[in-house]
Amino acid sequence: MAVFSEEIVNWLKAAEQQAEGRFREIDQIADHNQWKVIEAFQRHQVSDYHFSGSTGYAYNDRGREVLDLVYADVFGAEAALVRPHFASGTHTIATALFGLLRPGDELLYITGRPYDTLHKVIGKPGDGSGSLQDFGITYNEAELNADGSIDWEAVREKITDRTKVIGIQRSRGYDWRDSFTVEQIGAMVREVKAIKPDVIVFVDNCYGEFTEEREPTEVGADLIAGSLIKNPGGGLAETGGYICGREDLVRLASYRLTAPGIGGEVGAMLGTTRGIYQGLFLAPTIVGQAVKGSVLAAAVFERAGFASRPKWSEPRTDLIQAISFSGAEQLIAFVQGIQKAAAVDGHVVPEAWDMPGYEHPVIMAAGTFIQGGSLELSADAPIRSPYIAYMQGGLTYSHVKFGLLTALQTMKDRNLL
Ligand SMILES: *Cc1c(COP(=O)(O)O)cnc(C)c1O
């Protein structure tokens, strides 16, 4: 068995005791969402035959159709498009945006600069890549206030008659800001619709699913999207994404995913259907495990003298735990320590590399069953100042605990604690 220094073990025990009350709150959210998912399965009479998958055009794949209905139900939406054909979260979000926007329209993000991989989706006018701006769709953003809140003065100024879609990113992504709760997103929806009633509100829901009792579609968001190798895939979905929301808008996105007029009526599920259903079934509970792990990480690293965001005691609306380090060496030791605790590829030492879609070298701990699956315990850190690691996930709370102990011990062994 791994041996950890007494000091580290004591920090962890104290952090665990401190967070007891938070853990009970997280269990209650997990119960609420678990039952919500089970009841949605029951309402749509999910049966064994829905899992069989399909080939070719896959017309009338009842498993695929019911999966969309179940997702729509769980997310309180009119319709959903849940497919293994989405290659990533970025692809899913891009499909939604290209579905909604036409040349001459404008996309306005009101939560500041979006997640790194979306920068190239937005692109630049005439960049030749087929980005939104290359197609003559313009883009604007309202930076957040210094305290991380929405700059409403800027938003009011930037909403024009060409503003077709308002973009909101729920999760902090790779930024040292707070994530936006579902309640805050609801308030944003009301505010932008008061300014421009026909604007479409799109929410990048990545990492947020099942961390609260409600989802953005339940507080007025018109369309949301996320990745199945994050929260709603429950660690079992092998690939894919989902889009939920207003029926007409989901249809537009489906036309972009396949072809106009065809939409979601085709698309072979091959062997993925059971994993996507079973993953959704498990997701609320596994998200609860991961969120508990994030709270523990905040508590133990605060004890060890590091700044964390959110703090252990603060409410959560996503999986991500940001921890601030004082330099690249500490950051790298932390990420390598998380990797060392993995069941898969625990023997591999991660290094920083220039990942497609990212603007700085990124180091990632991703000892996962699903490649890049970040409902599994993982950590990402762009190697840039300020040195912040973003950790997330954990299919079991116990694994997160093991990861935190191993990361702290790795730092201590290198005299970085
Ligand atoms: C992960 C993520 C994305 C992109 O998803 P990928 O699967 O990495 O392409 C977009 N937005 C946010 C907030 C994310 O967390």
Side-chain angles (χ1 to χ4, degrees):
M1 287 287 283
V3 178
F4 303 109
S5 87
E6 202 182 320
E7 184 188 31
I8 290 172
V9 171
N10 287 339
W11 282 338
L12 193 113
K13 278 189 188 150
E16 236 178 351
Q17 269 171 10
Q18 184 177 41
E20 257 312 305
R22 292 286 293 120
F23 290 170
R24 272 194 295 277
E25 291 165 20
I26 294 163
D27 282 339
Q28 277 173 18
I29 295 170
D31 282 351
H32 173 92
N33 287 323
Q34 182 69 75
W35 301 345
K36 174 160 113 172
V37 167
I38 292 171
E39 285 173 0
F41 274 56
Q42 292 173 343
R43 265 194 295 280
H44 297 283
Q45 303 192 340
V46 174
S47 283
D48 173 62
Y49 77 88
H50 289 128
F51 306 147
S52 54
S54 50
T55 59
Y57 297 125
Y59 293 126
N60 309 312
D61 176 342
R62 194 60 192 151
R64 186 190 65 214
E65 292 168 359
V66 168
L67 181 64
D68 287 346
L69 295 173
V70 168
Y71 256 75
D73 201 329
V74 166
F75 284 83
E78 286 174 14
L81 182 71
V82 188
R83 293 292 183 278
H85 314 111
F86 290 118
S88 66
T90 306
H91 179 208
T92 313
I93 293 164
T95 304
L97 294 175
F98 276 103
L100 298 178
L101 291 152
R102 298 292 175 271
D105 291 341
E106 185 154 284
L107 166 65
L108 172 65
Y109 254 80
I110 63 168
T111 49
R113 230 169 131 67
Y115 192 78
D116 289 43
T117 59
L118 294 172
H119 300 173
K120 291 207 167 120
V121 173
I122 293 162
K124 301 220 159 42
D127 66 14
S129 71
S131 64
L132 289 169
Q133 298 218 75
D134 193 31
F135 273 103
I137 295 154
T138 60
Y139 173 74
N140 206 347
E141 68 193 24
E143 275 180 46
L144 296 171
N145 291 318
D147 67 357
S149 62
I150 304 289
D151 182 347
W152 283 108
E153 211 172 298
V155 172
R156 258 177 230 111
E157 217 164 80
K158 291 179 179 194
I159 292 182
T160 68
D161 52 355
R162 289 201 300 111
T163 310
K164 171 90 159 283
V165 175
I166 295 284
I168 292 172
Q169 184 176 305
R170 177 173 175 181
S171 170
R172 75 195 57 245
Y174 280 161
D175 278 320
W176 186 255
R177 68 152 170 96
D178 289 333
S179 299
F180 293 108
T181 63
V182 172
E183 191 176 321
Q184 288 170 324
I185 291 171
M188 290 178 209
V189 173
R190 287 191 294 280
E191 191 78 29
V192 295
K193 299 231 170 183
I195 302 167
K196 189 170 185 191
D198 63 344
V199 83
I200 297 167
V201 177
F202 169 78
V203 178
D204 172 354
N205 204 32
C206 280
Y207 284 134
E209 301 88 355
F210 305 127
T211 59
E212 294 194 55
E213 292 189 355
R214 290 182 305 170
E215 298 294 339
T217 26
E218 295 173 81
V219 294
D222 298 300
L223 201 68
I224 66 174
S227 165
L228 297 193
I229 65 166
K230 294 180 180 174
N231 309 19
L236 284 187
E238 289 175 288
T239 185
Y242 75 91
I243 294 173
C244 288
R246 256 168 55 188
E247 194 177 0
D248 56 330
L249 307 180
V250 171
R251 185 175 317 114
L252 289 171
S254 77
Y255 286 172
R256 181 69 198 199
L257 174 63
T258 62
I262 293 174
E265 309 282 314
V266 302
M269 299 294 277
L270 304 171
T272 63
T273 312
R274 183 192 312 274
I276 296 175
Y277 272 105
Q278 197 175 357
L280 177 64
F281 164 71
L282 288 176
T285 295
I286 295 188
V287 167
Q289 295 285 295
V291 174
K292 280 187 192 174
S294 294
V295 169
L296 181 68
V300 76
F301 272 88
E302 281 166 38
R303 219 159 256 281
F306 296 89
S308 64
R309 199 158 185 168
K311 297 196 191 319
W312 72 269
S313 54
E314 288 172 340
R316 307 251 156 185
T317 188
D318 65 15
L319 295 189
I320 299 184
Q321 180 61 50
I323 302 167
S324 180
F325 295 97
S326 60
E329 278 191 340
Q330 262 184 351
L331 185 77
I332 290 167
F334 170 80
V335 172
Q336 291 180 342
I338 292 288
Q339 178 86 27
K340 213 194 264 185
V344 179
D345 285 331
H347 58 287
V348 169
V349 180
E351 306 271 357
W353 64 297
D354 291 309
M355 279 185 64
Y358 292 86
E359 283 157 14
H360 297 264
V362 177
I363 184 165
M364 289 193 163
T368 54
F369 288 87
I370 303 292
Q371 191 195 84
S374 47
L375 178 57
E376 299 186 53
L377 179 60
S378 49
D380 315 301
I383 309 291
R384 67 181 177 207
S385 172
Y387 295 98
I388 297 166
Y390 299 85
M391 64 161 278
Q392 63 270 318
L395 297 181
T396 71
Y397 170 73
S398 179
H399 180 200
V400 183
K401 191 154 64 169
F402 187 58
L404 294 170
L405 287 166
T406 309
L408 284 163
Q409 190 66 47
T410 304
M411 292 169 68
K412 188 181 171 69
D413 291 345
R414 297 184 195 172
N415 293 317
L416 295 168
L417 259 194

